[in-house]
Amino acid sequence: MGITTDDRKKRWALPEGYIPEESTGPEPEMESHETICILNPGEEDATVDVTVFFTDREPAGPFEKTIPAKRTKHFRFNEFEDPEKIPKGTPFASVLESDRPVVCQHTRLDSRQAENALLSTIAYPGDS
Amino acid sequence: MGITTDDRKKRWALPEGYIPEESTGPEPEMESHETICILNPGEEDATVDVTVFFTDREPAGPFEKTIPAKRTKHFRFNEFEDPEKIPKGTPFASVLESDRPVVCQHTRLDSRQAENALLSTIAYPGDS
Amino acid sequence: MGITTDDRKKRWALPEGYIPEESTGPEPEMESHETICILNPGEEDATVDVTVFFTDREPAGPFEKTIPAKRTKHFRFNEFEDPEKIPKGTPFASVLESDRPVVCQHTRLDSRQAENALLSTIAYPGDS
Amino acid sequence: MGITTDDRKKRWALPEGYIPEESTGPEPEMESHETICILNPGEEDATVDVTVFFTDREPAGPFEKTIPAKRTKHFRFNEFEDPEKIPKGTPFASVLESDRPVVCQHTRLDSRQAENALLSTIAYPGDS
């Protein structure tokens, strides 16, 4: 039931990234967050290396994430800790490299002001 | 007038999915909802199997949907009932497999707080 | 300077469409609207036929639009009049067919509640 | 670690563009803005020419931007100054042409009303 059936590595890119510094409303569901949603519809577990790019320093990572077969994982950048934390209030970008075909989508919930705002887009699928 | 003219199955993926648990405002138009909009611009009815993926259990479905020729259908995940309901407040993802070429777009209206928020993206078109 | 240089017809699809029935704030900038933004970066004027699909009736249109060379036009579905109006509060979808390569993006401003919400996505580029 | 490994020029298009005329909340983070986020995951600096298209006048630009190797830059259209400023409250579109492979994403924060709204989409990748 894979969305793709090739067995090449898959790369995805997200030029936009920003963790708002403040939040309004109950946590964790209304905490401001920047999320990468990864779907692994395949029969084998996928290991994804996330590299985070900044405007004025060397990239951070890779942050290694596992998405089991036939599962989805929605990771919040503000919960990244190893090898380092992603600073809030700072523009960044990310590239995902998976050893199995996966699909990635980007979502932000911004609750800095009293009412939350949302954005989402499918990430850019790179050449294998 | 089809957007695609090939007769192969079409697969679409949406790694993001989440039905907010609360709503503010009159129903059904302001009820929080997670929607897949499917367009069948072709001359023949399309049957779409929707499989829903979770973080920690086996996938649900398939949920079978029909989109008649030259019609669009906007399905709300919170109205899925057969073979089971999609729980609220739970991250999920979905894959759509159609027997005719269709186009899919994902939209969420989140009215948990007093003012609604919106997100939308074209789904990821998978290899046939 | 064209984003594409082929001279084939271009098709774009938008499965999501909905004109909110109410608005809050000064018109026209804060009026709820559903917009297709079309960019014609080429050297020749483009003629675009927009067909609108519904859930339970035959499609409407084509609505013929002209985008001059090296110009962009942002059309609001609520201003479509010929050959008919698009009803508010009704789900629809659209297909654009251009005689020149163009690029299409979909944006909604929803001001039904006191604070506006936004969504946007690049339309789905169909096979030529 | 490039998302793409070819060495051809890359073009990206954004048919939607609009800088809201008003803002609510502290600047610069809550000022209404229209942003292009560009990621250069490659080993060499990228030079990007941005051309801005309007509804009723000749295009503006090119605005030349540099994105160093392994960096991301998030440019706000309201800060474009050379060769000219982008007017507020005016529909526009943009095309980006890079001498190195980059990835582009479009984000708007609209704080005209008391609570901010967000939109985002990956830009449309043009033929090289």
Side-chain angles (χ1 to χ4, degrees):
Chain A
M1 189 180 294
I3 186 80
T4 57
T5 53
D6 62 82
D7 56 5
R8 294 169 297 169
K9 281 195 175 196
K10 275 284 174 187
R11 290 193 181 99
W12 295 83
L14 279 173
E16 168 68 290
Y18 186 85
I19 307 171
E21 289 186 83
E22 289 103 40
S23 297
T24 309
E27 296 191 0
E29 69 273 23
M30 297 310 290
E31 184 186 11
S32 287
H33 57 261
E34 187 85 358
T35 304
I36 36 172
C37 304
I38 307 178
L39 169 62
N40 176 11
E43 302 290 332
E44 293 174 284
D45 295 358
T47 300
V48 177
D49 280 343
V50 183
T51 302
V52 178
F53 295 81
F54 299 95
T55 59
D56 53 6
R57 50 156 284 194
E58 286 295 297
F63 301 85
E64 190 178 303
K65 303 291 178 186
T66 300
I67 301 94
K70 295 187 181 178
R71 296 290 184 275
T72 185
K73 292 283 183 185
H74 297 190
F75 299 106
R76 294 182 179 199
F77 283 101
N78 43 318
E79 293 174 355
F80 280 24
E81 294 208 327
D82 182 15
E84 63 182 290
K85 289 200 170 198
I86 309 296
K88 293 186 178 182
T90 301
F92 63 86
S94 54
V95 168
L96 293 81
E97 297 175 279
S98 176
D99 62 352
R100 305 284 174 196
V102 294
V103 187
C104 297
Q105 186 171 350
H106 170 219
T107 301
R108 182 187 301 160
L109 183 147
D110 179 348
S111 65
R112 285 177 292 182
Q113 296 184 317
E115 313 306 336
N116 66 306
L118 288 172
L119 66 79
S120 188
T121 184
I122 295 288
Y124 179 68
D127 297 349
S128 297
Chain B
M1 188 180 294
I3 185 79
T4 57
T5 53
D6 63 80
D7 55 7
R8 293 171 297 170
K9 279 195 175 194
K10 275 283 173 188
R11 290 194 181 97
W12 296 83
L14 279 172
E16 168 69 289
Y18 186 85
I19 307 171
E21 289 185 84
E22 290 102 40
S23 299
T24 309
E27 296 192 1
E29 69 273 25
M30 298 308 292
E31 184 186 12
S32 288
H33 56 262
E34 187 85 358
T35 303
I36 37 173
C37 303
I38 306 178
L39 169 62
N40 176 11
E43 302 289 332
E44 294 175 283
D45 296 358
T47 300
V48 177
D49 281 342
V50 183
T51 302
V52 178
F53 295 81
F54 299 96
T55 60
D56 54 6
R57 50 155 284 193
E58 286 296 296
F63 300 86
E64 189 178 303
K65 303 292 178 185
T66 300
I67 301 94
K70 295 186 181 180
R71 296 291 184 273
T72 185
K73 292 286 184 184
H74 297 190
F75 298 106
R76 296 185 177 196
F77 283 102
N78 44 317
E79 293 174 355
F80 280 25
E81 294 208 327
D82 182 14
E84 62 182 289
K85 290 201 171 201
I86 309 295
K88 294 186 178 181
T90 301
F92 63 87
S94 54
V95 167
L96 292 80
E97 296 175 280
S98 177
D99 61 353
R100 306 283 175 196
V102 294
V103 187
C104 297
Q105 186 170 351
H106 170 218
T107 302
R108 182 188 303 161
L109 183 147
D110 179 349
S111 65
R112 285 177 294 181
Q113 296 185 316
E115 313 306 336
N116 65 306
L118 289 172
L119 65 80
S120 188
T121 184
I122 295 289
Y124 179 69
D127 297 348
S128 297
Chain C
M1 188 179 293
I3 186 80
T4 57
T5 52
D6 63 80
D7 56 5
R8 294 170 297 169
K9 279 195 177 194
K10 275 283 172 187
R11 291 193 181 99
W12 296 82
L14 279 173
E16 167 70 288
Y18 186 85
I19 307 171
E21 289 185 85
E22 288 103 41
S23 299
T24 309
E27 296 191 0
E29 70 273 25
M30 298 308 292
E31 184 186 12
S32 287
H33 56 261
E34 187 85 358
T35 304
I36 37 172
C37 304
I38 307 178
L39 169 62
N40 176 11
E43 303 289 333
E44 295 174 282
D45 296 358
T47 301
V48 177
D49 281 341
V50 183
T51 302
V52 178
F53 295 80
F54 299 95
T55 59
D56 53 7
R57 50 155 281 193
E58 286 297 296
F63 301 86
E64 189 179 302
K65 303 291 178 186
T66 301
I67 301 94
K70 295 186 181 179
R71 296 291 185 273
T72 185
K73 293 284 184 186
H74 297 190
F75 299 105
R76 296 184 177 196
F77 283 102
N78 43 317
E79 294 173 355
F80 280 23
E81 293 208 329
D82 181 16
E84 64 182 289
K85 290 200 170 199
I86 309 295
K88 293 186 178 181
T90 301
F92 63 87
S94 54
V95 168
L96 294 80
E97 296 176 280
S98 176
D99 61 352
R100 306 283 174 197
V102 294
V103 187
C104 297
Q105 187 170 350
H106 170 219
T107 301
R108 180 188 303 161
L109 184 147
D110 179 348
S111 64
R112 285 177 292 182
Q113 295 184 319
E115 315 304 336
N116 65 305
L118 289 171
L119 64 81
S120 188
T121 185
I122 296 288
Y124 179 67
D127 297 348
S128 296
Chain D
M1 186 181 295
I3 186 80
T4 58
T5 53
D6 62 81
D7 56 5
R8 293 171 297 170
K9 280 195 176 197
K10 273 285 173 187
R11 291 194 180 99
W12 295 84
L14 279 173
E16 167 69 288
Y18 186 86
I19 306 171
E21 290 185 84
E22 288 103 40
S23 298
T24 308
E27 296 191 359
E29 70 272 25
M30 297 310 292
E31 183 186 12
S32 287
H33 56 261
E34 187 85 357
T35 304
I36 37 173
C37 303
I38 307 178
L39 169 63
N40 176 10
E43 302 290 331
E44 294 175 283
D45 295 358
T47 300
V48 177
D49 281 342
V50 183
T51 303
V52 178
F53 295 80
F54 298 96
T55 58
D56 53 7
R57 52 155 281 194
E58 286 297 297
F63 302 87
E64 189 178 301
K65 303 291 179 185
T66 300
I67 300 94
K70 295 186 180 177
R71 296 290 183 275
T72 184
K73 292 285 183 186
H74 297 189
F75 299 106
R76 294 183 178 198
F77 283 103
N78 43 318
E79 293 174 355
F80 279 24
E81 294 207 329
D82 181 17
E84 65 182 288
K85 289 200 170 199
I86 309 296
K88 293 185 179 182
T90 302
F92 63 87
S94 54
V95 168
L96 292 81
E97 297 176 279
S98 176
D99 61 353
R100 306 283 174 196
V102 293
V103 186
C104 297
Q105 186 170 350
H106 170 219
T107 302
R108 181 187 302 160
L109 183 147
D110 178 348
S111 64
R112 286 177 291 183
Q113 296 185 317
E115 314 305 336
N116 66 305
L118 289 171
L119 65 79
S120 188
T121 185
I122 296 289
Y124 179 67
D127 296 349
S128 297

